[in-house]
Amino acid sequence: MKVIILAAGQGTRLRPLTNNRPKCMVEVNGKPLIKHQLDLFFKKNIQNINVITGYLGEKINFPEITKYYNPKFKTTNMVSTLFCANNIFDGTDDILISYGDIIYNNVVLDKIITSNNEINVVVDKNWKSYWTARMDNPLQDAETLKIGKRGNIIELGKKPTSYDQIEGQYIGLIKIRADVVPKIKEYYNSLDKSALYDGQDYDNMYMTSFLQMIANNLYDLTPTYINSGWIEVDEPSDLNHTSFLNN
């Protein structure tokens, strides 16, 4: 399995912690965010780890990783960053895609690496307790995630109007099976570069928008369910909720 960690963003909401370092190098419990991920991968003997950098990418220095660079990190979003590692999508291995601003525990990683559907998406069923600890109004920040009759994800990433539209929360961890990897790249390259996608241009397409199009046109998105065991670090206050890693 190959791993791609998306770590190009500027982390503006984390300032001043990101004034002089990229978001993934902000420390949690005395260790950079990305190092938590790397250590977990090494314990599972996952060695092919690729990190796509951007903002202050020179400060992400670990001998075990292969680095790619998004030169347009200031004006692009996650999907564009992902395909800066275009050559990795050759179909020789499964690909695990991980956001660079999340930490997850051994249970979460075990569940996703043993999931073997075409597209596996980690979904936290216990999201509401985590969001409630982080903010006064969870509905304001959360995104829709709806499950269809066959158990596949039929909608994600939209703005919810009620909790009934949220059957879990996508955490930023995806596994693509090797045989469909080249088709995902081909599909992305075939999209109209002049079109808007959920209001964003091609270069600024959200990952959830891309996943939704895959669900609509290519493959089922299969949820890999977890109950906590992870955190994301978007704002300095998120550093206060590391207890959810132990759940």
Side-chain angles (χ1 to χ4, degrees):
M1 183 168 61
K2 297 171 182 173
V3 174
I4 301 176
I5 301 175
L6 305 178
Q10 299 181 73
T12 54
R13 286 191 289 171
L14 261 177
R15 289 178 178 163
L17 298 178
T18 51
N19 282 350
N20 300 300
R21 57 186 163 180
K23 192 177 186 181
C24 71
M25 292 299 290
V26 170
E27 291 191 354
V28 177
N29 293 339
K31 186 163 63 174
L33 278 160
I34 194 171
K35 188 67 164 59
H36 286 270
Q37 292 193 32
L38 296 178
D39 288 348
L40 204 55
F41 295 144
F42 298 150
K43 287 179 182 178
K44 297 294 180 185
N45 200 31
I46 299 172
Q47 310 265 345
N48 193 331
I49 302 171
N50 306 272
V51 180
I52 308 180
T53 71
Y55 173 68
L56 297 177
E58 69 278 3
K59 297 197 173 184
I60 306 173
N61 285 313
F62 300 95
E64 308 91 347
I65 68 173
T66 300
K67 290 171 65 174
Y68 291 80
Y69 180 66
N70 178 2
K72 298 180 179 178
F73 67 87
K74 291 182 180 179
T75 57
T76 58
N77 216 315
M78 278 192 176
V79 183
S80 184
T81 292
L82 174 63
F83 286 99
C84 287
N86 208 35
N87 63 301
I88 292 176
F89 288 76
D90 58 6
T92 58
D93 299 282
D94 294 348
I95 291 181
L96 182 72
I97 301 165
S98 179
Y99 290 6
D101 62 353
I102 61 175
I103 305 175
Y104 34 91
N105 64 22
N106 186 68
V107 174
V108 174
L109 184 59
D110 277 345
K111 286 189 174 183
I112 188 64
I113 64 178
T114 55
S115 299
N116 198 37
N117 299 286
E118 288 99 340
I119 313 285
N120 308 276
V121 178
V122 177
V123 173
D124 185 6
K125 295 287 282 185
N126 194 39
W127 73 275
K128 194 173 180 181
S129 61
Y130 178 36
W131 255 249
T132 299
R134 297 172 68 198
M135 58 199 68
D136 294 332
N137 182 6
L139 198 61
Q140 187 174 359
D141 182 79
E143 298 178 334
T144 63
L145 193 141
K146 299 179 184 178
I147 305 298
K149 294 179 180 179
R150 292 184 290 106
N152 56 311
I153 299 169
I154 58 172
E155 181 186 303
L156 77 167
K158 307 298 188 292
K159 189 69 179 172
T161 56
S162 75
Y163 287 111
D164 294 338
Q165 298 172 306
I166 310 173
E167 298 183 59
Q169 202 69 182
Y170 160 63
I171 79 165
L173 191 60
I174 310 157
K175 182 185 170 193
I176 306 175
R177 203 171 65 196
D179 59 311
V180 305
V181 162
K183 297 173 185 177
I184 298 300
K185 178 174 72 171
E186 180 183 344
Y187 179 63
Y188 175 69
N189 290 333
S190 73
L191 293 174
D192 184 353
K193 295 177 177 56
S194 65
L196 292 179
Y197 301 91
D198 291 329
Q200 301 293 112
D201 63 32
Y202 182 80
D203 285 341
N204 281 283
M205 186 191 309
Y206 298 128
M207 186 66 74
T208 49
S209 300
F210 187 50
L211 289 171
Q212 184 71 67
M213 288 188 291
I214 290 171
N216 292 346
N217 300 296
L218 285 182
Y219 301 106
D220 282 350
L221 303 180
T222 304
T224 296
Y225 289 118
I226 62 170
N227 289 288
S228 299
W230 74 288
I231 63 168
E232 68 175 342
V233 180
D234 264 343
E235 300 180 359
S237 59
D238 287 327
L239 299 173
N240 299 324
H241 303 295
T242 58
S243 61
F244 283 88
L245 283 167
N246 302 319
N247 294 349

